[in-house]
Amino acid sequence: MKVRTVWKFPRRAGKRGLSSGQLEGVTSYLAIMLECGLDLIQALVVLTKSGEMASRECARHLARDIESGMKFSQAMSRQPETFPSTYRRVVETAEEAGKLSMTLTRLSITLERQARTSKRLKSTLVYPACLLFCSVLLVSVMLYFVFPLLLKVTQDAGVEPPPLTRLLILVASKKLALILLVGGWLGGAGLRYFWKHPRWGPHLQRFLEEKTPPGRFLARIYLLGAVRQLAMMLESGVDLLKSILYAGKVGEGSLLVREAFQSVYERVKLGESLATSMARYPVFPQTLTGLVAVADEVGDVHLVLYRFCDLYEDHLNNHLDAIAALLEPVLMASMGLVVGFILVAAFLPIYNLVSL
C-alpha cells in the first residue's frame, strides 16, 4: 500500500497582515534596536523572541529572507498585507541613502500619530452612537409596547383620544413603520448605487466633501495623512515628483485630495513650483501654501510640512472635541423632547378619563 505524501508548505506570517498598532510596534522596536547599535538581522531575531505571535512570525520571515540575500524592502514586499507600498518605498529609499534608522523612527512616529487620530475619532463617535441607539430603543419600546397598553385602557373606558394622541397613534402604526423601513432601505440602496456610479459617484462625493461638515472633516483627515506622507518621503530622499505621487495615493480616499495631488503632480512635472501648484486648489490651506513657498527658497520643505502636520492635527483634534461636546447635549435634548411628546400624548387620554 502506497502512502501518499502531502507536502505542507509553511504558511506565511500575517496572511491577513498586522494591524496598524502591531505595525507601529514593530517599526518602533526596530528603530530603537538600530539606534542602540544592533544590525537589522540581530534586531529581527530578538523580535522573534518577544511580542505578539503575529509580530514574531512577521519578524521571523523578514529575518529569513534577509539572510537569504534580500534587501529589507524586498523582504517586506513578500508580505504586502502588512507593509503598504508607500511604507516599502520609503524603506527602500532609506536603505539606498543609509538612513534606515532615522526613517524607521519617523515611520513609527507617523504611524503612532495616525493611530492616535483614528482612535480619537472612534472614541468621539462611540458615545453618541451608543446614546442614539439607546434612545431609539427606548422610544421603540414606549411606542410599540407601553403606549398601546395605555391606549387600550382609555379606549375600553370610552374616552375619545385627543388630537395629539391620534397623531402619536399614526406615528406608532405598523404600516408607517414598515413604510419607513422600506423607504430607508430603498434610500440607502439608491445612495450606494449613485456613490458607486462612475458618472454620478464623483459628483456626490464632491458635494459631500464641499458642502457638508462631516465630508469636509474627513477630507481634512485624508489631507493630513497625505501631507505627512509627502514630508516623510522627502526626508527619506525620494524625489519630489515620486513623493507627490505616493502622497496622493495615501489621500485617495478623498476625491478632492486625490484630484489636487494629481494636478499638483502634473504642474510640478511641467516646472511649476510646489507652493504655486498647491495654491491653485482650495483643499490646501493657505497656511500650508505660504509655509511651502518660504521653504522652497530655504530647501527644508519636509521640516515645514512636519510642522504644519503637527499644527493641523492639533486643530483637527480641537475641532473634534468641540463636535463631541456639542453632540451630547443635542442628543440628550432631542431625546428629552421625543420622550416628553410620547408621555404627554400617552397620558392625555388618562387625564381626560380622570376628569370625567
Side-chain angles (χ1 to χ4, degrees):
M1 179 178 178
K2 293 183 178 181
V3 180
R4 184 180 178 184
T5 303
V6 179
W7 295 98
K8 293 184 178 180
F9 294 95
R11 193 179 73 172
R12 294 203 62 81
K15 187 175 181 180
R16 296 183 179 179
L18 299 180
S19 65
S20 57
Q22 291 171 334
L23 179 59
E24 187 272 328
V26 169
T27 307
S28 178
Y29 177 85
L30 291 177
I32 294 173
M33 292 295 101
L34 292 178
E35 289 179 355
C36 292
L38 295 179
D39 60 38
L40 185 57
I41 295 181
Q42 289 175 332
L44 289 171
V45 169
V46 176
L47 183 58
T48 59
K49 301 177 182 179
S50 61
E52 301 179 8
M53 177 63 69
S55 301
R56 295 201 302 267
E57 286 295 317
C58 175
R60 185 175 296 111
H61 284 281
L62 288 174
R64 185 188 62 187
D65 293 338
I66 293 174
E67 287 178 343
S68 66
M70 291 185 182
K71 291 183 178 181
F72 190 29
S73 56
Q74 292 175 336
M76 287 181 174
S77 65
R78 301 191 67 189
Q79 301 184 51
E81 301 87 357
T82 294
F83 303 102
S85 59
T86 52
Y87 187 107
R88 300 195 303 268
R89 181 61 180 173
V90 170
V91 172
E92 180 182 0
T93 307
E95 281 184 304
E96 296 175 356
K99 301 179 180 179
L100 186 57
S101 175
M102 181 197 69
T103 300
L104 288 177
T105 301
R106 180 61 68 179
L107 276 171
S108 65
I109 294 174
T110 300
L111 291 173
E112 189 272 334
R113 285 182 174 272
Q114 290 176 349
R116 185 172 58 188
T117 301
S118 177
K119 184 178 180 180
R120 192 165 187 172
L121 179 62
K122 291 178 181 178
S123 62
T124 302
L125 297 178
V126 163
Y127 178 73
C130 293
L131 184 59
L132 183 62
F133 173 78
C134 294
S135 302
V136 172
L137 183 62
L138 176 61
V139 170
S140 300
V141 169
M142 294 183 66
L143 278 179
Y144 298 106
F145 293 96
V146 179
F147 177 65
L149 296 177
L150 297 176
L151 185 63
K152 188 176 183 303
V153 172
T154 56
Q155 287 178 343
D156 292 341
V159 177
E160 184 70 20
L164 191 62
T165 305
R166 288 199 295 269
L167 176 61
L168 187 60
I169 293 173
L170 177 63
V171 172
S173 64
K174 294 181 179 180
K175 291 183 179 180
L176 181 61
L178 181 61
I179 292 174
L180 291 176
L181 287 176
V182 173
W185 183 83
L186 291 177
L191 183 62
R192 183 180 179 183
Y193 170 78
F194 282 108
W195 185 267
K196 293 183 176 295
H197 195 276
R199 179 179 178 183
W200 299 107
H203 292 287
L204 178 60
Q205 190 174 359
R206 187 184 306 277
F207 171 79
L208 293 176
E209 293 184 4
E210 289 181 349
K211 304 299 181 182
T212 63
R216 288 195 295 266
F217 185 80
L218 288 178
R220 292 171 183 172
I221 293 291
Y222 282 110
L223 175 65
L224 175 63
V227 174
R228 197 181 294 279
Q229 183 70 26
L230 177 61
M232 187 167 53
M233 300 199 77
L234 290 176
E235 184 183 23
S236 302
V238 183
D239 63 83
L240 181 58
L241 285 176
K242 290 183 179 180
S243 299
I244 296 173
L245 189 62
Y246 280 95
K249 291 181 179 180
V250 173
E252 64 183 2
S254 168
L255 177 68
L256 297 180
V257 175
R258 181 173 69 249
E259 290 181 347
F261 270 92
Q262 289 174 352
S263 300
V264 168
Y265 173 81
E266 295 297 333
R267 292 184 177 277
V268 172
K269 189 176 181 180
L270 294 175
E272 195 171 79
S273 66
L274 179 61
T276 305
S277 302
M278 285 183 169
R280 297 177 182 272
Y281 304 97
V283 70
F284 297 109
Q286 293 182 356
T287 305
L288 174 61
T289 57
L291 291 174
V292 172
V294 175
D296 276 337
E297 301 178 0
V298 179
D300 294 332
V301 178
H302 65 279
L303 296 178
V304 170
L305 293 178
Y306 278 132
R307 183 55 180 164
F308 167 79
C309 289
D310 294 339
L311 295 175
Y312 201 60
E313 184 179 13
D314 293 339
H315 171 73
L316 290 180
N317 288 334
N318 293 334
H319 188 62
L320 196 60
D321 292 339
I323 293 175
L326 183 63
L327 275 178
E328 182 178 353
V330 169
L331 288 176
M332 293 295 292
S334 301
M335 180 181 174
L337 290 174
V338 173
V339 172
F341 169 77
I342 295 174
L343 291 177
V344 171
F347 283 96
L348 269 179
I350 298 178
Y351 175 78
N352 293 339
L353 179 62
V354 174
S355 299
L356 293 176

